[in-house]
Short mmCIF file of all heavy atoms in Angstrom, two decimals:
data_model
loop_
_atom_site.label_atom_id
_atom_site.label_comp_id
_atom_site.label_asym_id
_atom_site.label_seq_id
_atom_site.Cartn_x
_atom_site.Cartn_y
_atom_site.Cartn_z
N LEU A 1500 -6.89 -17.02 -31.99
CA LEU A 1500 -7.12 -15.64 -31.59
C LEU A 1500 -5.92 -14.78 -31.96
O LEU A 1500 -6.07 -13.65 -32.43
CB LEU A 1500 -7.38 -15.57 -30.08
CG LEU A 1500 -7.84 -14.24 -29.50
CD1 LEU A 1500 -9.09 -13.73 -30.22
CD2 LEU A 1500 -8.11 -14.37 -28.01
N ALA A 1501 -4.72 -15.34 -31.80
CA ALA A 1501 -3.50 -14.62 -32.19
C ALA A 1501 -3.50 -14.36 -33.71
O ALA A 1501 -3.06 -13.30 -34.17
CB ALA A 1501 -2.27 -15.42 -31.80
N LEU A 1502 -4.01 -15.31 -34.48
CA LEU A 1502 -4.13 -15.14 -35.93
C LEU A 1502 -5.00 -13.93 -36.27
O LEU A 1502 -4.64 -13.11 -37.12
CB LEU A 1502 -4.71 -16.41 -36.55
CG LEU A 1502 -5.20 -16.32 -38.00
CD1 LEU A 1502 -4.03 -16.04 -38.93
CD2 LEU A 1502 -5.92 -17.61 -38.41
N LEU A 1503 -6.13 -13.81 -35.59
CA LEU A 1503 -7.04 -12.69 -35.84
C LEU A 1503 -6.41 -11.36 -35.46
O LEU A 1503 -6.57 -10.35 -36.16
CB LEU A 1503 -8.34 -12.90 -35.06
CG LEU A 1503 -9.23 -14.06 -35.52
CD1 LEU A 1503 -10.42 -14.23 -34.57
CD2 LEU A 1503 -9.72 -13.83 -36.94
N VAL A 1504 -5.68 -11.34 -34.35
CA VAL A 1504 -5.00 -10.11 -33.92
C VAL A 1504 -3.94 -9.71 -34.94
O VAL A 1504 -3.84 -8.54 -35.33
CB VAL A 1504 -4.37 -10.29 -32.52
CG1 VAL A 1504 -3.48 -9.09 -32.17
CG2 VAL A 1504 -5.46 -10.46 -31.46
N TYR A 1505 -3.17 -10.68 -35.38
CA TYR A 1505 -2.11 -10.41 -36.36
C TYR A 1505 -2.70 -9.90 -37.67
O TYR A 1505 -2.23 -8.92 -38.26
CB TYR A 1505 -1.28 -11.66 -36.60
CG TYR A 1505 -0.11 -11.44 -37.54
CD1 TYR A 1505 1.07 -10.88 -37.08
CD2 TYR A 1505 -0.21 -11.79 -38.89
CE1 TYR A 1505 2.14 -10.67 -37.94
CE2 TYR A 1505 0.85 -11.59 -39.75
CZ TYR A 1505 2.03 -11.03 -39.27
OH TYR A 1505 3.08 -10.80 -40.14
N LEU A 1506 -3.78 -10.55 -38.13
CA LEU A 1506 -4.46 -10.11 -39.35
C LEU A 1506 -4.98 -8.69 -39.19
O LEU A 1506 -4.87 -7.86 -40.11
CB LEU A 1506 -5.62 -11.05 -39.67
CG LEU A 1506 -5.30 -12.37 -40.36
CD1 LEU A 1506 -6.53 -13.28 -40.36
CD2 LEU A 1506 -4.82 -12.13 -41.78
N GLY A 1507 -5.55 -8.40 -38.04
CA GLY A 1507 -6.10 -7.07 -37.81
C GLY A 1507 -5.04 -5.99 -37.80
O GLY A 1507 -5.27 -4.88 -38.29
N MET A 1508 -3.88 -6.31 -37.27
CA MET A 1508 -2.82 -5.31 -37.17
C MET A 1508 -2.04 -5.14 -38.47
O MET A 1508 -1.60 -4.04 -38.81
CB MET A 1508 -1.85 -5.70 -36.05
CG MET A 1508 -2.41 -5.49 -34.65
SD MET A 1508 -2.74 -3.74 -34.26
CE MET A 1508 -1.06 -3.08 -34.19
N THR A 1509 -1.87 -6.22 -39.20
CA THR A 1509 -1.00 -6.16 -40.38
C THR A 1509 -1.73 -6.30 -41.70
O THR A 1509 -1.19 -5.91 -42.75
CB THR A 1509 0.07 -7.27 -40.32
OG1 THR A 1509 -0.59 -8.55 -40.45
CG2 THR A 1509 0.84 -7.22 -39.00
N GLY A 1510 -2.93 -6.89 -41.67
CA GLY A 1510 -3.65 -7.15 -42.92
C GLY A 1510 -3.05 -8.30 -43.70
O GLY A 1510 -3.38 -8.51 -44.86
N LYS A 1511 -2.19 -9.07 -43.05
CA LYS A 1511 -1.51 -10.17 -43.72
C LYS A 1511 -1.69 -11.47 -42.95
O LYS A 1511 -1.91 -11.47 -41.74
CB LYS A 1511 -0.02 -9.88 -43.85
CG LYS A 1511 0.31 -8.59 -44.60
CD LYS A 1511 1.81 -8.33 -44.55
CE LYS A 1511 2.17 -7.02 -45.25
NZ LYS A 1511 3.62 -6.73 -45.16
N LYS A 1512 -1.53 -12.58 -43.68
CA LYS A 1512 -1.50 -13.88 -43.00
C LYS A 1512 -0.17 -14.00 -42.28
O LYS A 1512 0.86 -13.51 -42.76
CB LYS A 1512 -1.64 -15.02 -44.03
CG LYS A 1512 -3.00 -15.09 -44.70
CD LYS A 1512 -3.03 -16.28 -45.64
CE LYS A 1512 -4.41 -16.36 -46.33
NZ LYS A 1512 -4.46 -17.52 -47.26
N PRO A 1513 -0.14 -14.69 -41.14
CA PRO A 1513 1.14 -14.85 -40.43
C PRO A 1513 2.09 -15.74 -41.22
O PRO A 1513 1.65 -16.64 -41.95
CB PRO A 1513 0.73 -15.52 -39.12
CG PRO A 1513 -0.57 -16.19 -39.42
CD PRO A 1513 -1.26 -15.31 -40.42
N PRO A 1514 3.38 -15.48 -41.11
CA PRO A 1514 4.36 -16.30 -41.84
C PRO A 1514 4.38 -17.72 -41.30
O PRO A 1514 4.14 -17.96 -40.13
CB PRO A 1514 5.68 -15.57 -41.57
CG PRO A 1514 5.46 -14.86 -40.27
CD PRO A 1514 4.01 -14.45 -40.29
#
Side-chain angles (χ1 to χ4, degrees):
L1500 189 55
L1502 167 65
L1503 292 174
V1504 171
Y1505 184 81
L1506 280 169
M1508 287 296 291
T1509 67
K1511 303 175 182 177
K1512 292 182 180 180

